Amino acid sequence: MQQESARRSNRDRTEATRADLIAAARKLFTEKSYAETGTPEIVTAAGVTRGALYHHFADKQALFAAVVEQEAQAVAQEIDRASPPSLEARDALIAGSDAYLAAMRAPGRTRLLLLDGPAVLGRAAMDAIDNRHGNRSLREGLVAAMRANTMTRLPVDALTALLASAFDRAALAIEAGASAQDYSAVLMALIDGLSPTPRQAPRPARTR
């Protein structure tokens, strides 16, 4: 019993140290950028030794990958929360789109996921992370809409990649000060435009 308690205690300490390193690194990476952040700063901010850092992560890039993975997971959780299975497929896609844009407004998130992420980890690694999280949610929503016959059947992987790129571009524009409402409206129009019978905007009333 004591051995089991000791193992649990050691595991808890290990997980806490890892979490502290990720939290400290995230703060520094978003404040200073990946390139301008050194490992001595990270371990000082986390209150651990360099040995502890290298026990958990092979190098600074591996720590950065863990930060990015955690951020991508947080975004996907927000999307999933906003688009439960009880929603109709089209409504779930719209709700998920809005949730994505809202989640990406967390300070530093666009930099981590859309700028430094691809630059530091490479496009292939970043795509793999996206496909485990946000793109996975989007793909599931598109498949559900196609099965419900509320969306034209198209190659789902290509459609996921192109729509995800549109969402990312919107997040970057909003971060730079563009209207979130404008970009949300355009994304909604893109989704509705994929319907077999696209929704029509109301026609203006005739004037005499």
Side-chain angles (χ1 to χ4, degrees), residues 2-180:
Q2 289 181 340
Q3 288 182 340
E4 182 180 346
S5 178
R7 282 196 298 270
R8 187 181 301 114
S9 178
N10 288 335
R11 183 169 64 250
D12 290 345
R13 281 197 297 271
T14 296
E15 291 174 355
T17 298
R18 190 175 190 277
D20 288 343
L21 283 164
I22 291 174
R26 187 205 186 282
K27 186 173 187 295
L28 289 167
F29 290 151
T30 55
E31 289 177 351
K32 301 180 62 177
S33 83
Y34 173 84
E36 295 299 319
T37 299
T39 53
E41 295 173 276
I42 296 171
V43 297
T44 298
V48 302
T49 65
R50 284 176 63 88
L53 187 155
Y54 291 115
H55 173 74
H56 291 278
F57 302 100
D59 52 25
K60 185 175 79 166
Q61 186 181 60
L63 174 55
F64 179 77
V67 171
V68 169
E69 185 92 35
Q70 182 172 279
E71 290 297 302
Q73 183 179 34
V75 172
Q77 288 171 344
E78 291 298 315
I79 295 170
D80 291 341
R81 212 170 356 251
S83 53
S86 57
L87 284 181
E88 292 185 4
R90 181 261 180 190
D91 293 339
L93 282 169
I94 296 299
S97 299
D98 288 341
Y100 170 80
L101 294 181
M104 289 301 289
R105 291 160 99 172
R109 194 164 271 168
T110 54
R111 173 179 226 169
L112 287 169
L113 295 181
L114 304 181
L115 299 175
D116 285 357
V120 174
L121 303 177
R123 188 67 264 171
M126 201 64 223
D127 284 345
I129 291 172
D130 287 339
N131 289 337
R132 285 194 290 273
H133 301 295
N135 286 4
R136 184 264 311 156
S137 294
L138 175 58
R139 189 182 192 281
E140 289 174 358
L142 294 173
V143 169
M146 291 180 195
R147 286 176 176 167
N149 294 319
T150 58
M151 179 173 287
T152 301
R153 290 181 179 269
L154 294 166
V156 69
D157 290 339
L159 182 57
T160 300
L162 290 174
L163 280 180
S165 294
F167 294 144
D168 290 349
R169 183 65 185 85
L172 286 168
I174 293 166
E175 172 80 5
S179 166

